[in-house]
Amino acid sequence: MKNIIISPSILLCDYLHLENELEKIKKAGCEWVHLDVMDGHFVPNISFGNLFFERLFTKINFTKDVHLMVNDPMSFVKKFAKVGADYLTFHYEACKDDDEVEAVIKEIHKNKMKAGLSIKPETPVEKVFPFLDKLDLVLVMSVEPGMGGQKFLPESLDKISALINEIVEVRSNALISVDGGINDVTGKDCLNMGADVLVAGNYLFGAPDFQERYDSLIK
Ligand code: DX5
Ligand code: ZN
């Protein structure tokens, strides 16, 4: 059986008690944390960025799964390497062409991070196929990027299925991660289709019992 990874998105957590929130993640047995960087241009909202992480990352001992929702991802690669990101995922739609996608992946690897490529709901999954041999992760957005707490788009399941077939075909090591509207039901559907990583925000942090919600995602 595949190893299931849960990557809790702290976008909707209680920032006044961030330490407690991180403690909940750790106690639940989770090793990853998903960090959503929004620039107000690629998506309409602004969240947090590299300077915030510089203060935060020194205190946390998770696999830092950074999701860049920004224009010009190339200009941020070194900044996120400097603050200690482990996975750096950028958007296909933020690049002008395939050469730029390739160059950003190269730059991420050069800076000793794992490279992820994400696609918005309207982008065909085939767009990531040419890069599968170089990628460490593909992030399928199952909601429109830009905010937490939205409803899972079921058509994302077909994308996961097409992706896993291609990954097997080309013997890629890329993990399939799914982000947006994940709960106990949609999460199971994604895992059944072949997803490796479930990013969950509102489902985990929007309830009093984090552990119970976490367990419901993995069992
Ligand atoms: C949305 C972000 C997500 C978001 C997921 O743009 O990329 O990571 O926080 O949150 P939920 O699980 O609430 O949909
Ligand atoms: Zn995200």
Side-chain angles (χ1 to χ4, degrees):
M1 213 186 108
K2 265 208 216 184
N3 183 29
I4 304 167
I5 298 166
I6 307 295
S7 193
S9 161
I10 63 163
L11 191 62
L12 293 182
C13 82
D14 178 358
Y15 292 107
L16 268 184
H17 304 97
L18 190 53
E19 203 155 11
N20 287 351
E21 300 288 63
L22 295 170
E23 195 51 43
K24 282 186 207 165
I25 303 177
K26 181 130 281 176
K27 246 179 93 192
C30 186
E31 291 172 357
W32 285 40
V33 65
H34 182 89
L35 300 139
D36 288 301
V37 179
M38 303 179 185
D39 67 353
H41 296 283
F42 182 74
V43 289
N45 291 318
I46 298 174
S47 55
F48 35 66
N50 54 303
L51 296 180
F52 175 76
F53 293 165
E54 197 171 323
R55 313 297 300 173
L56 181 68
F57 281 6
T58 50
K59 299 191 178 73
I60 66 172
N61 212 357
F62 295 97
T63 297
K64 290 123 190 160
D65 172 29
V66 177
H67 177 191
L68 289 183
M69 284 164 272
V70 303
N71 286 335
D72 191 15
M74 185 64 108
S75 65
F76 290 98
V77 173
K78 281 199 173 67
K79 291 184 171 70
F80 282 93
K82 187 171 162 245
V83 300
D86 295 292
Y87 281 81
L88 192 64
T89 296
F90 65 101
H91 268 266
Y92 176 83
E93 303 84 0
C95 297
K96 62 177 184 314
D97 54 28
D98 281 15
D99 287 345
E100 186 178 348
V101 174
E102 188 127 10
V104 177
I105 296 172
K106 232 184 216 155
E107 183 70 5
I108 293 173
H109 284 150
K110 206 173 114 195
N111 283 277
K112 312 246 175 332
M113 294 175 289
K114 299 210 189 256
L117 184 60
S118 184
I119 42 167
K120 287 185 181 185
E122 76 270 20
T123 303
V125 70
E126 290 74 21
K127 296 286 184 193
V128 307
F129 287 2
F131 311 104
L132 281 178
D133 59 327
K134 299 164 193 87
L135 286 169
D136 302 290
L137 181 146
V138 176
L139 182 66
V140 175
M141 287 308 300
S142 42
V143 298
E144 202 51 49
M147 64 176 95
Q150 303 180 72
K151 215 167 157 276
F152 181 85
L153 297 168
E155 53 271 31
S156 319
L157 296 172
D158 295 335
K159 282 189 175 177
I160 301 170
S161 165
L163 195 50
I164 190 78
N165 289 340
E166 187 67 13
I167 282 177
V168 170
E169 177 81 22
V170 303
R171 298 180 189 198
S172 162
N173 291 320
L175 297 173
I176 302 177
S177 180
V178 192
D179 185 3
I182 295 294
N183 57 36
D184 52 343
V185 177
T186 58
K188 288 270 128 55
D189 291 344
C190 294
L191 294 173
N192 287 338
M193 281 293 170
D196 303 280
V197 184
L198 300 177
V199 176
N202 190 44
Y203 182 67
L204 287 173
F205 289 105
D209 196 338
F210 184 98
Q211 181 81 56
E212 192 184 299
R213 289 276 167 111
Y214 178 82
D215 291 344
S216 76
L217 288 178
I218 54 169
K219 69 169 193 272

